[in-house]
Amino acid sequence: MAEPHHLAQWYPTAAYLYVLCLDTLALAWEYLRRHPDYQLDWLRHHRRRPMHPVAQNAAHRWGLRLLEDPVLDARDAHPAWLPGHDAVVQLHPDTDPPPDAAAFAFWHIPGHKQLLHDGKGLALIAHSPGHCARFAVAPGLEDGMAVAYARRGGRGSAAPARDSASMHAARPRPPPAALLELHTLQALDATLAGASLREMAEGLFGADAVATDWHADGDLRARVRRLARRGDALMRGSYRRLAQLPPLEKGRFEEDAKRP
C-alpha cells in the first residue's frame, strides 16, 4: 500500500531548513545528487579507484572532479567541483611579500574547518552560521607564511574574514531567494516521490491554505507547478549555472536538459 503523502520524507518542511544556509555550490550539489542518472553513475563507478579514468570521465560529465555519494546532503558531502567558481579564494605563498604582508593563519579562519583533497589539490572549507568560505590551497603554503589571495574574476574581497564574533552574530530572516530554494527542493522531492500538485501544496504551504485557495486556475496551483518545473530543470542541468559551469554538452544528457 502506498505511503500517505503526509508521512512521506519530503512532506515536513522542517527537514529542509538547512537549505536556508547553503551557498550556490552547495545548492548545486543538492540538485545534482537527486538526478537519477547521477545516482546510477555513482552505483556503477564508486567502487573504482577515484582517479580511475572511467570514474573520472563519469564525474567530469557532471562537472565534478570526483564522484560524491548522492545519499549525503550538503551538510555532509564534499563534492569536488571542476574549477572556475568565483566564490573559491585561492591561497598562494607570497614570494615577494611587503613588510606588512598577511600571514596564513589556519586556526584564525573563523568557523568549522574541513580540509580535504579534491583530486587535484587541497581544498579548505570553513562553515559558520549562515556563511561558507571556500579556499583552494596552493602547494607549499604553510601556516605562518606570507600569503597572497586571489579570486577568479576579481570579485569582492579575496582575504578571509578574521572576526569570529561577527561571523557568529545573529542572522536576519532568510531572504526570499533562500526560501525559493527550500520550496524548490521540497517540490522536487515530492515530484520524484510521485506526489500530486495538490499533495505538494499541502506539504509546502499547509492543508488550510490548500482548502481555501486551491482552484484549477488559481495562483496557488500555478505557484506549485512553477516550483516543480524549476526543480526538475535545476536537477537536469541548470544546477550547472549555480556552480558556474558551462552548459551541458549535446549528447547523453541533451534530452534531459530540454525537459521542463
Side-chain angles (χ1 to χ4, degrees):
M1 185 173 64
E3 184 180 44
H5 67 273
H6 64 277
L7 298 179
Q9 290 185 344
W10 64 266
Y11 194 81
T13 301
Y16 296 84
L17 291 179
Y18 73 94
V19 173
L20 298 176
C21 297
L22 300 183
D23 64 0
T24 55
L25 281 171
L27 285 169
W29 168 247
E30 287 292 341
Y31 290 110
L32 170 58
R33 75 185 186 92
R34 288 165 164 81
H35 198 303
D37 285 349
Y38 177 80
Q39 295 170 4
L40 284 175
D41 271 351
W42 167 258
L43 291 174
R44 289 168 180 159
H45 303 302
H46 77 279
R47 296 187 184 277
R48 300 179 188 268
R49 291 182 294 104
M51 305 307 291
H52 191 284
V54 175
Q56 279 197 314
N57 287 339
H60 290 173
R61 284 196 296 269
W62 299 103
L64 299 172
R65 282 197 173 116
L66 305 171
L67 291 172
E68 178 63 289
D69 187 350
V71 171
L72 302 176
D73 66 38
R75 294 169 292 185
D76 298 316
H78 304 294
W81 295 99
L82 294 176
H85 200 286
D86 58 25
V88 179
V89 177
Q90 301 174 51
L91 307 179
H92 300 272
D94 193 337
T95 57
D96 189 19
D100 59 348
F104 178 55
F106 178 85
W107 296 111
H108 288 178
I109 298 174
H112 174 69
K113 289 169 279 293
Q114 296 168 312
L115 192 63
L116 57 140
H117 198 283
D118 65 3
K120 187 72 173 181
L122 284 179
L124 170 61
I125 305 173
H127 292 278
S128 295
H131 181 76
C132 177
R134 299 175 182 270
F135 307 94
V137 183
L141 182 64
E142 299 179 3
D143 202 55
M145 291 179 60
V147 62
Y149 304 99
R151 189 191 295 271
R152 294 182 187 273
R155 300 183 185 180
S157 173
R162 295 184 180 236
D163 182 4
S164 61
S166 64
M167 299 290 286
H168 292 277
R171 298 288 165 180
R173 293 182 61 183
L179 290 172
L180 173 63
E181 301 300 345
L182 182 153
H183 287 147
T184 301
L185 282 165
Q186 189 176 4
L188 175 58
D189 284 344
T191 300
L192 294 172
S196 68
L197 290 178
R198 186 184 180 100
E199 292 170 344
M200 204 180 301
E202 289 183 5
L204 270 67
F205 305 112
D208 291 343
V210 172
T212 303
D213 300 326
W214 189 261
H215 308 287
D217 57 350
D219 291 342
L220 182 59
R221 190 174 189 273
R223 182 181 181 186
V224 172
R225 186 190 300 113
R226 287 194 299 270
L227 287 169
R229 289 178 175 175
R230 182 176 186 269
D232 187 76
L234 281 161
M235 178 185 70
R236 297 187 183 278
S238 294
Y239 74 88
R240 299 177 72 93
R241 290 201 302 269
L242 296 174
Q244 296 181 2
L245 295 167
L248 282 168
E249 297 179 359
K250 292 184 178 181
R252 177 181 173 187
F253 306 121
E254 184 181 13
E255 182 178 350
D256 280 348
K258 291 181 179 178
R259 291 186 56 178

